[in-house]
Amino acid sequence: MNKIEEIFKAWAIQFNPNEVQNELAAKRLTQSLSNLGLAFEDARVAKFISDLEATSGVLDDSLRPAFQSLLTTTGSVTKAQELLGLALDVAAGSGQDVQTVASDLSKAYTGNTRSLAKYNTGLSRAELQTASFADVQALLAKQFAGQNAAYLETYSGKVAILNVAYANMQETIGKGLVDAFQILSGNNGIGGGVSAMDTFGDAVADTTRGVAGLVAAFKDLNTYGSTALDLLRNIDPFNPFGIVTGN
């Protein structure tokens, strides 16, 4: 990895630590929609995730995988949206993360309700196994109603909202930097910018080494300067070579 690649990597980490994962998650969700014949829903789903992130205090890098899990299980955007809203309430009320809850709901949707026991539904394992998903969903919705909204009124909830805004600001800045370098690189694109910066980096490195050598030379001059000045002061301007003459 060259110097410029290291710089870009450092900037990517600093301004948007999760950008790579976010991009991959977004592409996976887009592909899942396409596989289900729902590619036309991509823009609406993206807006839904973005709006939900801003109002729930949960980052999109958690919301997307949770939504995808529900989408691939139900095959319905509307049902996945409904269950993701439920997952947020259950997560806020139980202390579980939203991806875990979404995974549990996905399993329950297909008849595997074992993992729902952790949410203290009041049903025994045998009752959970025989209950329909609609009944389980209604029970969880009643038990955890309004939990996420209540959480957002707490100090922690307000901090979560601020964290989402800060993360989005980092993402915007990071993308802005990349766009700026593409603009500055002109017709050569970002590749030209990287090449130019690499050359500039080498030039700066050489200049830095040159300056360091010059500073070292001045230090040596300072060390021997007083001796040189003393010698100059003792030179007789009328007899600079110290020639001995007779009287």
Side-chain angles (χ1 to χ4, degrees), residues 73-155:
T73 300
T74 65
S76 166
V77 170
T78 300
K79 190 64 177 179
Q81 290 175 328
E82 176 187 325
L83 292 178
L84 184 56
L86 174 60
L88 286 169
D89 276 334
V90 174
S94 66
Q96 300 289 330
D97 64 85
V98 69
Q99 291 186 63
T100 296
V101 178
S103 177
D104 291 340
L105 289 175
S106 295
K107 293 174 184 176
Y109 190 86
T110 59
N112 182 0
T113 58
R114 183 182 306 174
S115 58
L116 295 181
K118 69 168 70 76
Y119 302 113
N120 301 317
T121 60
L123 299 178
S124 65
R125 289 187 180 274
E127 290 173 326
L128 278 174
Q129 288 176 356
T130 58
S132 68
F133 180 76
D135 290 338
V136 171
Q137 181 181 349
L139 179 63
L140 290 172
K142 181 179 179 180
Q143 181 175 339
F144 293 99
Q147 288 286 356
N148 193 58
Y151 166 70
L152 293 176
E153 292 299 318
T154 66
Y155 174 78

Side-chain angles (χ1 to χ4, degrees), residues 159-196:
V159 169
I161 291 290
L162 289 175
N163 284 339
V164 166
Y166 180 71
N168 286 334
M169 180 190 71
Q170 287 180 301
E171 181 176 348
T172 300
I173 293 173
K175 289 180 178 178
L177 282 172
V178 174
D179 290 342
F181 281 117
Q182 287 178 319
I183 292 170
L184 292 172
S185 299
N187 295 330
N188 293 325
I190 193 64
V194 169
S195 178

Side-chain angles (χ1 to χ4, degrees), residues 29 41-56 60 63-64 66-67 70 77-86 88:
L29 181 53
E41 294 275 31
D42 191 37
R44 184 166 75 93
V45 169
K47 185 178 186 306
F48 169 74
I49 295 294
S50 178
D51 292 344
L52 191 59
E53 178 190 48
T55 58
S56 68
D60 57 2
L63 292 175
R64 282 197 191 95
F67 182 84
L70 295 166
V77 170
T78 300
K79 190 64 177 179
Q81 290 175 328
E82 176 187 325
L83 292 178
L84 184 56
L86 174 60
L88 286 169

